[in-house]
Amino acid sequence: MQTREEILRAALLLPESYFDQPFHDDNWTVVRHKKNRKIFAWIFERRGNTWVNLKTPPDWRELWRETYASVLPAYHLNKEHWNSVILDGSVPEREVLRMIELSYDLTK
């Protein structure tokens, strides 16, 4: 999973979710819950890669950051609660999908 389209498609598979571009900037796409409008995925391009910011449970945050060089404290968000995942192919797709689902659950 390395493209904006792939990450967006995966996030939109979750129930009652939709995409938005609240900043009127084509570089930033978010995926929200329909019911509460909370964002669970921030998708953007940076340094030649697609990145996604995902809310992360505290017990997983450091584990993912230590395990994968492409998981960093979140760009432009609270680094205690959010991770940035650089979609460069180094994080297995199943882990990215798990991260998306956890972010979804934490924000509903």
Side-chain angles (χ1 to χ4, degrees):
M1 184 172 299
Q2 292 182 280
T3 67
R4 176 185 295 265
E5 292 75 22
E6 290 171 321
I7 196 77
L8 184 58
R9 189 170 35 249
L12 290 172
L13 286 175
L14 295 167
E16 299 290 309
S17 62
Y18 70 100
F19 82 94
D20 190 10
Q21 290 186 302
F23 309 116
H24 307 288
D25 177 348
D26 290 343
N27 188 44
W28 287 89
T29 301
V30 300
V31 184
R32 299 176 182 265
H33 294 275
K34 284 185 181 174
K35 205 170 211 173
N36 65 15
R37 297 187 34 88
K38 287 186 179 178
I39 298 170
F40 66 92
W42 303 73
I43 305 163
F44 55 99
E45 306 295 323
R46 186 166 194 260
R47 298 182 181 163
N49 289 100
T50 300
W51 292 42
V52 61
N53 287 345
L54 299 165
K55 192 158 192 177
T56 307
D59 52 330
W60 285 93
R61 180 185 61 236
E62 293 305 319
L63 174 69
W64 280 326
R65 290 178 188 177
E66 292 170 5
T67 303
Y68 302 108
S70 293
V71 177
L72 308 169
Y75 178 71
H76 273 313
L77 292 178
N78 183 315
K79 287 144 183 46
E80 185 178 336
H81 300 287
W82 294 81
N83 277 341
S84 285
V85 182
I86 303 169
L87 300 175
D88 60 5
S90 65
V91 180
E93 184 171 327
R94 72 184 183 293
E95 286 298 302
V96 176
L97 294 172
R98 180 186 300 179
M99 291 177 199
I100 294 168
E101 289 172 3
L102 285 170
S103 183
Y104 174 86
D105 288 342
L106 287 167
T107 55
K108 64 178 180 174

